[in-house]
Amino acid sequence: MRAALLPLFLVWAPLARAQPSEDRLNALEQRLSSLENARSNNATSAFNPALGAALDIAAVQTDSKATINLRAAELTLQAPIDPYLKGWIVATGSPDTVSLEEAAVRTTALPHSLSLTAGRLFASFGRLARFHDHELPVIERPRSLDTFVGGETQADGVELSYLFPTPFYLSAQAGMFNKIGADNARADNAVERPLDNFTYLGRLTAYADFGDDHSLELGASQAWTPKRIVPDAAGTETTRKNTWRTLAGIDLTYRYQPVAGGLYKGAIWSAEIMQNNERRFDAATLLPRDRVRSYAGVSYLQLKLGRRFSPGVMIDLSEDLDAPKTLTRTYTGFLSFHMSEYQRLRVSASRIDDAAAPGRRGNRLGLQWTAVLGVHTHSFKDR
Amino acid sequence: MKKTSLALGLALMVLPRAEAAALRVVATLPELVDIAKRVGGDLVAVDGLARGVEDIHQIVMKPSFVAKLNRADAVVFLGLTAEHTFLPGLLDAAQNPALRVDHNTSACLGPGCIDCSAGVRILDKPQSLSRAQGEVHAQGNPHYNLDPRNGLIIARNIEAGFSRLDPGHAAQYKKNLAAYREELELKIAQWVKKSGPLKGLKAVSYHGDVAYLAAFTGLDFIGTIEPKPGIAPTPAHLAALVGVMKDAGAGLIVREQQYDAKTPAWLAEKTGAKIAVIGTMANSMPDTETFVKFSEKNLINLLEAR
């Protein structure tokens, strides 16, 4: 009898052991099925652009007078348009006006590591000139950039970028724009012009690491406008001969970034030199004057002492575009205090030797509070 | 002659260099470099970005990284936005069609993207998203590399990625994976036994990155030195933490090596707890250059400090 039951037991025992596993498998299959059948996030809002904003509030005192300003509320929208095209819009509201700072698309569908950006963008001239105001290391944009570039390098046009397939970083940009500089009054974006009235830009950037902690970045930029539209004595606007303009610049950036210090420890030293070469016109008579070559330079050293504190000094030298060798010197000391990743307080003190007002010296004290709302991206350009 | 030499020199500089390996791979973290080398063997040339001693959320975007990513066939990364401060920006600048970045999600989308987090059981998924919660990761805690068992998933994902990109050598990648799995599983079995004394021990950490370490060791983390992720500790928070630790009888402070030593030392003095220093990446401490050595060193430091 026992011998007859033994085969039955041998068959039943593994089945009995298998039963819990089978239940578990069934339960897993049910869970998997519910996951597979779950509806995807098909809300139309899923395609909305990423939205971020920066608030820049500043108080500035010059000698005995002071102002408090909401300098800018900068709204940024960005989104991929297709796998090879992205777009972004940066609109800035200030106390007097709302303006479109950037609105551009960039495609990477081109071969050989080329990318093409078109629209209103910050042209690749120099280094600091391409920073938005609140991203600068100091509260107020250096006078040299305001005078020579015309504020930020805002430009309407196209820019082609190429990354060389070299073992080290080497990139080149070439652009064609109506003009470069948000406050550059030499040309009007709305006016139609022949090809020789556009501004053409070239830039080359090379970078090298020196060990793990040190690096050097060298850039050279040249903007060339073959001819300008200028009013003649009768007030008629015509393209004039010998009105070509070049704006050339060299920028050098040394970074000490100890590996263990991450983003918050180290030092940056940066220097930029610019040369402007153009035929100037008398503002009152509109008559042409001699060709003038002027120089400007800005250099700063910023220490990163930790997550919160970042002090620095800046020297800015700017010649008068009409009267070279008439130099305005600005010496600035600044201290940034990062209360968190998304808000920063900054104080600065500047001493200005203003060449435009001979014998006049001025002091400016500044306090800035910057906060970032919403999406905050870490872009390579702003590093 | 001079012109010819110059032209040849320039051409050699600009033309992509011929590599003996089938795949040129960039891995973001040292442990991913290690595992990618083990799975890929001689068939891959692996280059790394982070050195290991950094805070993973503060790795600096160097242009030299852009040059590496521009030439790479694949990028191996931890994922779950662990690399959000540097990888999307670098991929955007690298202009490599195989490694595209989604500007809405910061995800790597191209065929060369190898996300090691696929299949990981994600912990600490946030219930809501707000900056008021500090620097939270929308997809959940990304520090899954602190659980040695996830090394098996990382290796599997890397093998799948290499086999997809280089199907001709898939059999070799699978063979390498099997060898690595065998080695790691043996180690994990040893570590599970060793970590027994840590089970249930109350502890605090500096940053909220230890959920996976807790899952493996059984440590019971009751608080963090940071009041919220990425927010520096305040005096009020630290005073409250001293009370919480004393009430719970917490005897261990886990300091990730990239954070300052002063605050944990102060906390140890106030509570009598011991400090264990751990790494959050391979190569963060001496002799931790591989995933196995890194995982083992963390466990040893925890056991010695308890």
Side-chain angles (χ1 to χ4, degrees):
Chain A
M1 181 63 184
R2 278 183 189 170
L5 286 174
L6 187 63
L8 271 175
F9 175 77
L10 289 173
V11 170
W12 173 81
L15 280 175
R17 276 201 304 272
Q19 197 59 38
S21 300
E22 201 171 302
D23 290 347
R24 200 160 161 258
L25 267 178
N26 285 338
L28 279 171
E29 275 180 6
Q30 276 180 6
R31 280 181 61 195
L32 188 64
S33 170
S34 66
L35 285 171
E36 283 178 342
N37 294 332
R39 297 181 70 174
S40 62
N41 179 10
N42 57 2
T44 49
S45 60
F47 296 110
N48 284 350
L51 190 64
L55 293 178
D56 183 7
I57 303 152
V60 177
Q61 179 182 333
T62 308
D63 295 329
S64 60
K65 292 177 182 171
T67 57
I68 300 173
N69 266 325
L70 167 68
R71 288 209 310 185
E74 189 179 279
L75 195 67
T76 304
L77 292 94
Q78 56 177 327
I81 294 159
D82 67 29
Y84 302 100
L85 185 71
K86 75 165 181 176
W88 68 95
I89 295 168
V90 181
T92 301
S94 57
D96 304 323
T97 181
V98 174
S99 64
L100 196 60
E101 206 150 80
E102 291 184 73
V105 289
R106 175 176 296 154
T107 177
T108 53
L110 306 175
H112 307 299
S113 298
L114 284 163
S115 67
L116 184 75
T117 310
R120 175 166 291 185
L121 52 110
F122 278 18
S124 299
F125 182 89
R127 180 170 174 264
L128 286 183
R130 291 184 282 153
F131 284 28
H132 288 264
D133 280 344
H134 68 272
E135 293 163 343
L136 288 167
V138 288
I139 296 176
E140 295 181 286
R141 185 164 287 271
R143 181 180 289 218
S144 56
L145 302 181
D146 271 341
T147 307
F148 279 61
V149 179
E152 297 155 335
T153 60
Q154 186 192 83
D156 290 12
V158 291
E159 186 174 285
L160 190 68
S161 183
Y162 177 62
L163 188 62
F164 289 86
T166 45
F168 54 91
Y169 179 86
L170 182 64
S171 73
Q173 284 80 33
M176 177 182 169
F177 307 101
N178 290 340
K179 62 170 184 169
I180 294 176
D183 304 324
N184 177 359
R186 294 174 184 84
D188 186 342
N189 273 319
V191 174
E192 290 183 1
R193 70 205 72 209
L195 281 175
D196 57 10
N197 273 223
F198 284 87
T199 295
Y200 300 88
L201 171 73
R203 178 173 168 84
L204 204 60
T205 311
Y207 170 94
D209 284 318
F210 295 94
D212 287 324
D213 298 342
H214 306 270
S215 68
L216 207 57
E217 192 168 339
L218 178 66
S221 320
Q222 169 111 355
W224 173 54
T225 312
K227 284 178 183 170
R228 262 180 74 183
I229 295 172
V230 185
D232 60 18
T236 311
E237 293 200 327
T238 53
T239 300
R240 302 283 285 271
K241 288 180 183 174
N242 193 24
T243 50
W244 58 267
R245 177 193 179 213
T246 58
L247 178 64
I250 291 177
D251 53 274
L252 183 69
T253 306
Y254 161 76
R255 288 183 180 87
Y256 166 61
Q257 290 168 312
V259 171
L263 299 169
Y264 302 115
K265 283 188 180 169
I268 294 179
W269 172 71
S270 173
E272 296 186 54
I273 297 169
M274 289 173 286
Q275 185 214 55
N276 184 66
N277 187 346
E278 68 177 322
R279 193 175 188 191
R280 302 291 293 173
F281 286 79
D282 189 287
T285 64
L286 302 176
L287 291 173
R289 296 199 304 223
D290 290 339
R291 179 161 287 281
V292 180
R293 196 180 290 165
S294 317
Y295 292 88
V298 58
S299 178
Y300 74 94
L301 173 69
Q302 185 175 17
L303 304 177
K304 295 184 174 184
L305 303 180
R307 192 173 178 113
R308 291 179 184 256
F309 289 100
S310 182
V313 289
M314 176 180 276
I315 299 172
D316 180 51
L317 307 172
S318 181
E319 283 188 343
D320 191 314
L321 291 181
D322 290 306
K325 297 179 185 171
T326 310
L327 196 63
T328 298
R329 301 177 183 88
T330 308
Y331 308 97
T332 304
F334 57 91
L335 174 67
S336 298
F337 176 68
H338 292 260
M339 286 171 280
S340 75
E341 177 81 21
Y342 307 103
Q343 62 162 327
R344 182 192 64 213
L345 270 180
R346 179 176 284 155
V347 291
S348 74
S350 298
R351 175 78 171 161
I352 305 163
D353 289 342
D354 193 341
R360 176 158 169 76
R361 290 183 172 183
N363 297 314
R364 281 172 81 82
L365 294 174
L367 176 64
Q368 182 189 33
W369 192 0
T370 309
V372 175
L373 291 73
V375 171
H376 172 59
T377 55
H378 297 257
S379 84
F380 182 69
K381 180 177 82 75
D382 308 328
R383 73 193 185 280
Chain B
M1 182 62 192
K2 272 185 183 173
K3 279 182 184 171
T4 314
S5 304
L6 186 66
L8 193 63
L10 279 172
L12 284 172
M13 222 169 67
V14 171
L15 288 173
R17 289 177 301 166
E19 301 280 356
L23 287 178
R24 287 164 298 186
V25 177
V26 172
T28 54
L29 313 183
E31 60 267 37
L32 303 182
V33 172
D34 166 49
I35 300 174
K37 280 182 177 172
R38 293 294 305 270
V39 173
D42 295 336
L43 298 169
V44 301
V46 189
D47 225 334
L49 299 184
R51 279 193 57 207
V53 292
E54 308 96 323
D55 179 341
I56 190 173
H57 304 315
Q58 292 182 30
I59 291 166
V60 172
M61 285 188 268
K62 293 183 175 179
S64 47
F65 294 170
V66 172
K68 287 178 184 181
L69 287 163
N70 174 256
R71 299 193 305 273
D73 298 306
V75 60
V76 176
F77 55 97
L78 207 58
L80 301 176
T81 68
E83 295 103 335
H84 77 284
T85 55
F86 66 100
L87 192 59
L90 289 171
L91 291 175
D92 190 34
Q95 300 175 19
N96 183 339
L99 313 174
R100 293 194 316 272
V101 65
D102 182 319
H103 295 281
N104 265 13
T105 61
S106 296
C108 184
L109 292 179
C113 302
I114 301 176
D115 183 351
C116 294
S117 70
V120 168
R121 189 172 182 191
I122 301 164
L123 304 177
D124 292 346
K125 284 185 187 171
Q127 297 299 308
S128 62
L129 285 175
S130 164
R131 292 267 187 253
Q133 299 297 321
E135 293 171 25
V136 289
H137 293 273
Q139 295 167 19
N141 191 323
H143 302 277
Y144 62 87
N145 54 337
L146 291 177
D147 182 340
R149 293 168 298 191
N150 285 331
L152 300 168
I153 298 176
I154 292 171
R156 189 191 67 202
N157 284 324
I158 292 174
E159 180 278 317
F162 288 175
S163 296
R164 185 182 73 235
L165 293 165
D166 180 22
H169 294 109
Q172 186 60 47
Y173 296 132
K174 282 185 171 47
K175 193 177 160 192
N176 294 347
L177 171 67
Y180 184 69
R181 279 187 71 104
E182 195 178 333
E183 184 188 318
L184 186 56
E185 278 170 348
L186 196 66
K187 281 285 184 185
I188 288 170
Q190 291 170 7
W191 295 335
V192 167
K193 280 184 193 163
K194 264 190 177 179
S195 64
L198 296 174
K199 197 172 170 91
L201 200 65
K202 307 275 188 209
V204 297
S205 64
Y206 201 109
H207 183 63
D209 52 5
V210 287
Y212 299 93
L213 188 70
F216 183 71
T217 58
L219 279 168
D220 183 7
F221 285 95
I222 58 166
T224 55
I225 292 175
E226 289 179 337
K228 300 278 182 189
I231 306 297
T234 61
H237 172 73
L238 289 174
L241 189 61
V242 168
V244 169
M245 285 179 72
K246 281 182 176 171
D247 289 348
L252 190 63
I253 298 166
V254 175
R255 175 172 77 82
E256 300 83 341
Q257 65 81 30
Q258 69 271 21
Y259 290 110
D260 91 278
K262 271 193 285 187
T263 312
W266 175 87
L267 199 59
E269 194 186 311
K270 294 285 176 195
T271 60
K274 301 278 177 54
I275 298 172
V277 180
I278 64 161
T280 52
M281 285 186 270
N283 212 30
S284 50
M285 293 182 283
D287 201 29
T288 61
E289 65 274 12
T290 67
F291 182 72
V292 167
K293 287 181 176 178
F294 150 67
S295 302
E296 196 157 62
K297 180 75 174 175
N298 279 351
L299 188 58
I300 288 168
N301 286 0
L302 290 169
L303 287 165
E304 285 178 351
R306 84 192 146 87

